[in-house]
Amino acid sequence: MKLKKKAKRVLLVLFLIIIGVSAYFIYQNYFTQEEVKETKVINEIDKYGYKLKENKPTTYKEMFKELKEILSENKVDEEKYAKKISEMFIYDFYSLKDKTAKTDIGGVDFVYEPIRENFLQNAQDTYYKYIENNIYNNRKQTLPVVTNIEIESVEKKEFEYEDQKDENAYFIKIKWSYTEDAFSSYQKEAELVFIHDDIKLSLVELQK
C-alpha cells in the first residue's frame, strides 16, 4: 500500500516537473521575445515630407543626401529633382534585401497620396508577395538589390488623372540591373510619370 502511494507521489512530482518545464518553454518562446525596435528617422526634408530611416542601405542614404541638396537650392532645378526621385524610387522599391516583411514597401514617399493605399496593396500582392519576415534578423532568403540605375530620357507633357490635369508632367524612362545574376530575369526598365502636387512631384503611374 505504501509502495503504491510512493509511486503515485513520484508520478505526481514528475507530472509537475513536466508542466513546469513546458510552461517555462512557452513563456520564453512566446512572451519574452526581444522587443522589436522602432526604426528611427535620421534625416528629413521637412518642406517636402521626405524622411530617411536608419535602416536604409548606404546607397539610398547617399541618394537622400543628394536630394536634400537639390531641394535646398534657392531655385530648385525641377528636372534634377525628378531624375533623383526616379532613381530613389527604383532603388528603394525594387531592392528587397533590406525589407523586413512584405508590408515593408519601398518608394512610398514618392507616390501620389490618393493612390498610395492601392499602390501598397498591389505591391504586397505581386512583387513583395513572397518576402519572408525578417523582424528578428534571422532570414536566410536571398533577395535582389538594384544597381547601375540609368535615366534614359526625360519628357514633359500633359497627363490626365481622373479630374486632375498636369500640362507639364514628367515622363521618365529608366533602366537598371541587379547585383546578382540570379535576378537577371526580373524587371529592369520602366517609365515613371510624376505630376505636380503642390511644391512636390508625385508618382502617379509606373509603366512597365
Side-chain angles (χ1 to χ4, degrees), residues 4-185:
K4 284 186 179 181
K5 285 184 178 180
K6 284 183 179 179
K8 284 182 180 179
R9 284 176 186 166
V10 170
L11 288 172
L12 180 60
V13 170
L14 287 173
F15 177 73
L16 291 173
I17 290 172
I18 291 169
I19 292 294
V21 170
S22 299
Y24 178 78
F25 176 80
I26 291 168
Y27 178 78
Q28 287 294 315
N29 283 273
Y30 295 97
F31 297 100
T32 63
Q33 287 183 335
E34 186 180 343
E35 209 174 292
V36 180
K37 287 198 305 180
E38 186 177 341
T39 307
K40 291 180 183 177
V41 172
I42 58 172
N43 202 350
E44 54 190 309
I45 307 172
D46 293 334
K47 196 174 178 181
Y48 291 80
Y50 299 136
K51 299 180 187 295
L52 176 65
K53 293 185 177 180
E54 64 179 346
N55 62 338
K56 289 297 183 187
T58 301
T59 299
Y60 188 83
K61 288 176 180 175
E62 285 299 315
M63 289 179 174
F64 193 93
K65 182 181 176 182
E66 291 164 3
L67 176 63
K68 192 167 188 175
E69 289 173 359
I70 291 168
L71 297 178
S72 296
E73 295 291 332
N74 291 327
K75 183 173 175 56
V76 173
D77 185 325
E78 201 170 71
E79 185 170 314
K80 281 176 69 175
Y81 171 28
K83 287 180 177 179
K84 184 52 60 181
I85 59 176
S86 295
E87 293 172 358
M88 293 174 74
F89 173 81
I90 293 300
Y91 183 86
D92 198 24
F93 182 78
Y94 289 99
S95 292
L96 301 181
K97 189 176 181 179
D98 64 301
K99 307 303 186 291
T100 56
K102 73 173 187 176
T103 54
D104 183 13
I105 312 297
V108 177
D109 277 357
F110 308 111
V111 177
Y112 189 43
E113 200 277 331
I115 66 169
R116 197 170 290 166
E117 188 174 336
N118 184 60
F119 170 80
L120 290 170
Q121 189 59 58
N122 186 57
Q124 288 180 46
D125 293 342
T126 55
Y127 191 62
Y128 282 68
K129 187 174 183 178
Y130 298 106
I131 296 180
E132 295 172 5
N133 192 298
N134 194 38
I135 292 176
Y136 299 106
N137 295 311
N138 57 0
R139 183 171 61 203
K140 305 299 182 185
Q141 187 180 22
T142 303
L143 294 167
V145 177
V146 169
T147 188
N148 300 323
I149 303 171
E150 181 183 342
I151 303 288
E152 292 193 296
S153 67
V154 179
E155 187 178 359
K156 288 176 75 175
K157 57 185 179 181
E158 184 180 291
F159 181 83
E160 290 189 35
Y161 173 72
E162 293 184 350
D163 60 341
Q164 302 287 327
K165 180 189 285 189
D166 189 338
E167 294 182 355
N168 291 296
Y170 283 89
F171 289 71
I172 299 181
K173 289 185 178 177
I174 190 168
K175 65 180 181 180
W176 64 94
S177 57
Y178 297 94
T179 55
E180 295 184 45
D181 291 339
F183 305 104
S184 60
S185 62

